[in-house]
Amino acid sequence: MATQANLIATYQSNPTLQSRYTQQEYLDMFDFSQAPTTPTPTPTPTPTPTPPGGITNIIGQNLNQGGDGFNPYNPDMSKINTTYQPNYDFRQFSEYGANPSTMDIKQMDMNQNYFNKPAPSGIQQAMLTAAGFIPGIGTAIKGAQFLGNALKGVMPVNQRAILENELRGTGVYTDDIGRIVGDVNTVGGVMVGYNANQMTDKTFDKRTDTIANTLSNKYGIDISSLTEEDIEDFDPNKAGYDLVNRFGLITKAKTNFLNQQKKAKEIADFQRAEKERKKREKEFNDRVAAEAATAARARARNASVYASADRQGFTNRDGGFSTSRADRAGTSAGSGQFSPSSSRGRSGYDDGGRVYLYNRLK
């Protein structure tokens, strides 16, 4: 009977197997519960040299194994990001919508830790304050903060990063290229080696289908007839236990993954909508500011005219002329007295419009 080490060596030397299965999927066919640290073949095969000007021979090479030497089955957790960063804005929006009522705000105030980002601790604040006084460092911190805030408005929403963050919140961790890492005998690590951003429901179904076939053909166990409780209570001393247990772990991992994938999409959609809203808000504020600046310049050039207009209520809160108020006074475009396109006074007149308005306002 083939040993686990033999199977791993066969898999790693066979590009066809690698193209059709992951290493764990291949091991599932032979009822091995996990893949240990990749053994070094003895003796170590000598790589086929590349002929000058020829084509590299890929047969027998360890393809698709990653070149960083990192083992997702036994990861160096010091290199793994395990920090979960909640999206507090999305939490508020998903619970209470875009316009929370006074009662909703009170509810959020009662659950500060869930709905609001915690303020920096006294030590953290002191460190930031102290760093601000260090020559060069303070400027760098402020520059990084400014750049970070500026980039938020222009960088596209990263749905992969959002998904990986939400998975971390449930104990599923990924390495720097997105592969799931951890203990294959846990819900969080049963899909070890897979790239989270490329997974779908079919990724899980493929594995459970393989396990179901092995259980049926090798042990006569119809896994589809077992309830979730039956799988959890399956006798550890009974043949086929490892596969039954792994089937249960994958099923739970699938439910968790699909929930987090759905949530990640909702957060990404929310962030895109927020970016668009803030963009429109900025455009509006910029337009208002530009109009106010125009009104200020007009006031500076025609101080007495605007002073009289203010007294008679012909100006708006931004300091410019109010169309609706001018209409009632017979000075707007609609009344035939004033042309906003030319800003030269009475509409249809080459001269006299400005004098007429000036006299009217006096």
Side-chain angles (χ1 to χ4, degrees):
M1 178 178 177
T3 65
Q4 186 175 12
N6 293 147
L7 290 173
I8 293 175
T10 299
Y11 174 84
Q12 293 183 347
S13 64
N14 191 317
T16 301
L17 287 176
Q18 294 168 14
S19 67
R20 296 187 59 185
Y21 310 99
T22 67
Q23 181 171 296
Q24 188 57 53
E25 286 173 345
Y26 181 65
L27 293 175
D28 285 344
M29 299 179 187
F30 300 92
D31 196 12
F32 285 103
S33 62
Q34 61 180 343
T37 303
T38 303
T40 302
T42 304
T44 302
T46 302
T48 303
T50 303
I55 301 175
T56 302
N57 180 11
I58 64 172
I59 304 300
Q61 303 298 316
N62 287 342
L63 304 179
N64 198 31
Q65 300 298 308
D68 55 4
F70 185 89
N71 181 4
Y73 292 91
N74 186 28
D76 179 357
M77 293 306 293
S78 67
K79 298 180 179 179
I80 300 300
N81 181 7
T82 60
T83 303
Y84 172 60
Q85 298 290 342
N87 189 308
Y88 295 100
D89 291 337
F90 176 75
R91 283 182 173 180
Q92 295 178 19
F93 173 79
S94 61
E95 291 286 341
Y96 300 111
N99 298 297
S101 66
T102 301
M103 183 60 68
D104 293 337
I105 295 174
K106 289 182 178 179
Q107 287 293 327
M108 285 189 281
D109 289 340
M110 293 172 61
N111 296 277
Q112 286 282 340
N113 292 338
Y114 184 79
F115 288 109
N116 296 284
K117 183 177 181 179
S121 66
I123 295 178
Q124 291 173 326
Q125 190 61 51
M127 292 176 64
L128 288 173
T129 302
F133 289 100
I134 300 176
I137 300 296
T139 303
I141 292 176
K142 292 177 182 177
Q145 291 173 338
F146 173 79
L147 182 61
N149 291 332
L151 289 177
K152 284 181 181 180
V154 297
M155 294 295 289
V157 174
N158 189 338
Q159 192 161 330
R160 169 189 161 178
I162 295 172
L163 173 61
E164 292 178 0
N165 179 65
E166 294 307 312
L167 287 174
R168 284 197 295 273
T170 64
V172 180
Y173 304 118
T174 54
D175 62 12
D176 58 346
I177 60 174
R179 295 175 300 185
I180 293 177
V181 301
D183 183 355
V184 74
N185 293 309
T186 64
V187 174
V190 70
M191 299 302 289
V192 64
Y194 287 81
N195 190 301
N197 192 51
Q198 299 174 2
M199 291 164 59
T200 67
D201 55 340
K202 293 181 176 59
T203 307
F204 298 87
D205 294 343
K206 182 179 179 181
R207 286 198 65 187
T208 51
D209 287 348
T210 299
I211 292 173
N213 289 334
T214 302
L215 285 171
S216 177
N217 298 332
K218 188 173 182 179
Y219 300 104
I221 298 174
D222 180 9
I223 193 71
S224 65
S225 67
L226 302 182
T227 65
E228 183 178 339
E229 290 75 17
D230 293 335
I231 293 174
E232 289 185 352
D233 297 335
F234 198 85
D235 186 355
N237 298 313
K238 190 174 180 179
Y241 166 77
D242 285 343
L243 284 179
V244 171
N245 179 60
R246 198 171 329 129
F247 185 97
L249 293 175
I250 295 172
T251 301
K252 292 179 180 178
K254 175 184 176 181
T255 299
N256 177 65
F257 178 83
L258 294 181
N259 287 339
Q260 304 316 312
Q261 188 181 57
K262 178 175 180 290
K263 184 178 179 182
K265 182 181 183 306
E266 291 173 349
I267 292 175
D269 290 343
F270 166 76
Q271 290 187 348
R272 293 187 187 99
E274 277 293 281
K275 285 168 70 72
E276 183 61 28
R277 181 188 66 78
K278 290 178 179 179
K279 177 184 176 183
R280 292 196 303 269
E281 185 178 80
K282 182 179 184 301
E283 290 173 347
F284 174 79
N285 290 335
D286 289 346
R287 185 168 66 253
V288 169
E291 291 173 354
T294 300
R297 288 193 297 271
R299 279 181 170 274
R301 290 194 296 267
N302 303 280
S304 61
V305 173
Y306 276 88
S308 180
D310 288 340
R311 289 194 301 272
Q312 298 181 62
F314 294 153
T315 53
N316 57 32
R317 64 182 181 181
D318 297 319
F321 282 103
S322 170
T323 302
S324 60
R325 293 174 180 175
D327 241 339
R328 293 194 294 272
T331 59
S332 72
S335 66
Q337 300 294 329
F338 187 75
S339 171
S341 60
S342 66
S343 298
R344 296 179 60 186
R346 185 179 296 182
S347 179
Y349 286 77
D350 293 330
D351 299 298
R354 187 185 302 273
V355 175
Y356 175 84
L357 178 61
Y358 175 75
N359 292 335
R360 180 71 176 269
L361 294 177
K362 286 183 68 178

